[in-house]
Amino acid sequence: MATFVLIPGAACDPSYWRPLAGELRERGHDTVSVDLPCEDDTAGLAEYADAAIDQIGDRTDLIVVAHSFGGFTGPLVCERVPVDLLVMLTAMVPSPGETPGEWWSATGHDQVPREEDDIYYHDVPAELAAEAETYSRGQSGTPSKEPWPLPAWPNVPTKFLLCRDDRLFPAEFMRRVARERLGIVPDEIDGGHMVMLSRPGDLADRLVSYRRSATQL
């Protein structure tokens, strides 16, 4: 049994992981849907990592899944606790010394043509999307001003999983970011930015397959 540590994106309550967490538990695994202090102006990237590690507790056989802005936190967790695999799920990939606020222009995201309508929930069932919007929280600007503190990517096996229908981080943009910043060809899955809501079963199958591959290394 693995423990999937689910790190959310900006301004997100951990409840948006609920459908995926249920699917993973049905497949025999444990989950930790991390609650980050996103509304706390005194909390930066170090405090986000602290919160995740506190909630992991003494669990082992960890697979960290970092979504969107969670890409700045996931590697920090992997630097401090033993992790079998890091999965960057349509996530921001930081460079040493770069702030999250700088990431947008540094990666060229601000020059990428993309659809502007309903960038998050366009492929999520309407009832579930309405529920998910109630999970929205405030997002402090504090962590966006802090340089990413690691001198290099942590020594942990890493997968990048992009979403082909993502309107926030379009697939071609993510292919380039994964190649340039991680030196890997990303895996791909159908679905938009909130794939954990639109296709939780498909995403669970993919994550479990990663776990099988990681245990065979």
Side-chain angles (χ1 to χ4, degrees):
M1 180 183 75
T3 295
F4 288 88
V5 181
L6 309 174
I7 299 179
C12 283
D13 185 273
S15 299
Y16 85 132
W17 290 114
R18 189 179 297 136
L20 175 64
E23 294 282 351
L24 289 169
R25 287 193 294 270
E26 286 182 4
R27 289 159 176 76
H29 300 285
D30 190 14
T31 63
V32 178
S33 298
V34 174
D35 188 359
L36 295 177
C38 61
E39 296 177 301
D40 183 353
D41 287 334
T42 69
L45 295 174
E47 287 73 25
Y48 283 29
D50 288 344
I53 291 167
D54 286 347
Q55 291 165 58
I56 290 169
D58 60 0
R59 294 176 177 87
T60 58
D61 299 316
L62 304 178
I63 296 177
V64 171
V65 181
H67 177 237
S68 198
F69 182 50
F72 271 79
T73 301
L76 303 182
V77 174
C78 296
E79 186 74 3
R80 293 174 52 187
V81 298
V83 171
D84 294 334
L85 180 68
L86 169 61
V87 181
M88 300 287 281
L89 175 61
T90 191
M92 299 167 73
V93 181
S95 288
E98 178 182 75
T99 71
E102 294 168 340
W103 182 90
W104 305 90
S105 58
T107 58
H109 181 273
D110 52 359
Q111 303 298 319
V112 174
R114 57 189 177 89
E115 295 187 55
E116 298 294 338
D117 294 335
D118 192 9
I119 60 176
Y120 296 113
Y121 300 111
H122 62 94
D123 64 336
V124 177
E127 183 176 340
L128 188 55
E131 179 185 353
E133 287 183 334
T134 68
Y135 305 152
S136 180
R137 297 163 65 179
Q139 175 61 56
S140 169
T142 298
S144 289
K145 302 171 186 175
E146 294 189 351
W148 193 63
L150 296 186
W153 201 254
N155 184 25
V156 60
T158 301
K159 292 276 192 181
F160 193 100
L161 181 58
L162 67 80
C163 299
R164 297 187 187 99
D165 308 306
D166 195 335
R167 293 182 177 179
L168 178 63
F169 296 149
E172 190 56 40
F173 166 74
M174 288 273 84
R175 293 182 188 111
R176 176 175 60 78
V177 169
R179 181 180 68 250
E180 292 177 354
R181 297 204 162 196
L182 294 174
I184 61 176
V185 176
D187 295 328
E188 305 189 11
I189 191 171
D190 290 336
H193 195 68
M194 300 304 237
V195 66
M196 70 290 294
L197 294 171
S198 62
R199 296 174 178 268
D202 292 346
L203 180 55
D205 286 341
R206 185 68 65 95
L207 294 175
V208 170
S209 75
Y210 287 163
R211 190 259 177 174
R212 294 194 194 102
S213 297
T215 59
Q216 294 170 2
L217 294 177

